[in-house]
Amino acid sequence: MMMKVVLWSFEILKSLDMRKTIVLFSVFLFLGINFSSAQKKAKKVEPTDPKQTEVWTPVPVVVTPGQVNSSAPSDAVVIFDGTNTDAFEHLDGSPIKWTLNGDGSITVTPKSGDIRTKASFGSFQLHIEWRTPSVVKGEGQGRGNSGIFLQDKYEVQVLDSYNNLTYSNGQASSIYKQTMPLVNACRPPGEWQSYDIIYKAPKFNKKGVKTSSAYVTVIQNGILTHNNTKIQGTTPYIGWPKNPPHEDGPLKLQDHGDLVSYRNIWLRKL
Ligand code: MG
């Protein structure tokens, strides 16, 4: 094939006079230089300002959810059924200081810190329900903010995104600072909402290089918000996604200073 191309190119050049050859050569040179400089431009400089990784347009359209409720199936690992918080710990290994409510839910105790499961997981199907405060305070990222970190690293955002504009890749159901949800499937503040998350863990080789990305599908309140979305790496507030190698990891829930509640947390290992 390569030989054919070479012969074909040679025939074309033979058929052209010197002036046309020079013109043709200049065109190829111009295209080559531009391609090379475009490649250089594509190399992104690490951001130092959080605004550099915010995407404000387009804004996902609003879809009103129906009523859903889902309790654990027989083969699920029940992480939280409302009776105790034994499956969780703070990041320093201490017992959690979040509030266990009488209605089968737990609520973030602001400034007590994130909590994580004691157990670690690979790929899974996760069901989790969450509720932002009915008393609306703050705006943007400061309204009902929490988050669900898959394998301790990849945040599916929890936020009161009901009539609350923020950067699209930071609203509820976003893969934080990476991928905005397909639609805005949020219920009003104070109402229970659900995420059903199908997560495929990334793979790394022995040298610690990622050989297979993580993928995630998210259904919020029965509405698809991510359809097998590729997770580019970690989800930092400032900076690009990173890909440190890791094994199985815990499920982490974020204390962002807001009184967000959770209930009915279970997963099925895949
Ligand atoms: Mg968050």
Side-chain angles (χ1 to χ4, degrees):
M1 180 64 188
M2 183 59 91
M3 185 58 77
K4 270 187 183 175
V5 171
V6 170
L7 289 172
W8 177 72
S9 303
F10 186 66
E11 286 302 315
I12 288 179
L13 285 173
K14 268 203 317 187
S15 68
L16 298 173
D17 61 32
M18 183 56 80
R19 209 167 54 185
K20 283 180 181 169
T21 304
I22 289 169
V23 169
L24 198 61
F25 180 78
S26 302
V27 167
F28 280 128
L29 190 64
F30 176 78
L31 288 174
I33 288 169
N34 271 284
F35 178 70
S36 169
S37 70
Q39 275 192 319
K40 278 179 189 160
K41 276 182 195 164
K43 281 191 177 174
K44 294 178 178 177
V45 177
E46 182 71 17
T48 53
D49 183 334
K51 287 188 170 49
Q52 288 175 267
T53 46
E54 296 174 3
V55 176
W56 286 78
T57 56
V59 176
V61 297
V62 174
V63 175
T64 305
Q67 294 298 315
V68 289
N69 189 22
S70 183
S71 51
S74 59
D75 65 347
V77 176
V78 176
I79 294 171
F80 178 68
D81 65 2
T83 58
N84 64 76
T85 59
D86 295 352
F88 287 108
E89 62 186 10
H90 279 295
L91 305 191
D92 62 0
S94 62
I96 75 166
K97 299 186 189 78
W98 290 21
T99 306
L100 178 61
N101 304 305
D103 65 354
S105 66
I106 41 172
T107 302
V108 174
T109 299
K111 306 257 193 283
S112 68
D114 299 346
I115 63 171
R116 68 183 176 200
T117 55
K118 294 171 185 171
S120 288
F121 306 100
S123 301
F124 53 73
Q125 171 192 347
L126 169 71
H127 176 84
I128 187 165
E129 296 171 28
W130 53 275
R131 182 182 62 189
T132 59
S134 54
V135 178
V136 172
K137 281 198 291 187
E139 59 182 26
Q141 293 290 308
R143 183 183 297 179
N145 194 333
S146 183
I148 299 159
F149 286 75
L150 314 176
Q151 293 196 306
D152 199 29
K153 288 185 168 53
Y154 314 113
E155 182 180 11
V156 178
Q157 175 70 303
V158 168
L159 192 75
D160 174 5
S161 287
Y162 189 85
N163 293 330
N164 178 31
L165 186 64
T166 184
Y167 40 96
S168 299
N169 60 347
Q171 70 172 67
S173 231
S174 64
I175 310 306
Y176 185 68
K177 291 280 186 99
Q178 285 183 26
T179 312
M180 66 186 75
L182 294 168
V183 294
N184 181 340
C186 281
R187 296 185 194 280
E191 291 192 18
W192 282 103
Q193 315 204 40
S194 66
Y195 282 158
D196 287 283
I197 297 173
I198 294 97
Y199 172 70
K200 184 179 173 223
K203 289 182 181 149
F204 302 86
N205 65 19
K206 285 180 182 167
K207 291 179 180 168
V209 177
K210 189 170 77 170
T211 55
S212 173
S213 291
Y215 285 84
V216 69
T217 294
V218 181
I219 296 168
Q220 181 182 355
N221 301 325
I223 298 167
L224 186 72
T225 53
H226 285 284
N227 185 7
N228 202 31
T229 296
K230 181 178 175 177
I231 296 177
Q232 296 159 28
T234 54
T235 52
Y237 175 52
I238 300 173
W240 302 123
K242 308 290 188 303
N243 284 284
H246 62 85
E247 305 286 332
D248 288 358
L251 191 71
K252 185 170 78 180
L253 304 181
Q254 185 183 45
D255 167 15
H256 201 279
D258 296 328
L259 295 168
V260 174
S261 300
Y262 289 94
R263 72 177 184 188
N264 288 341
I265 308 171
W266 54 261
L267 62 75
R268 297 179 60 249
K269 295 178 183 176
L270 298 176

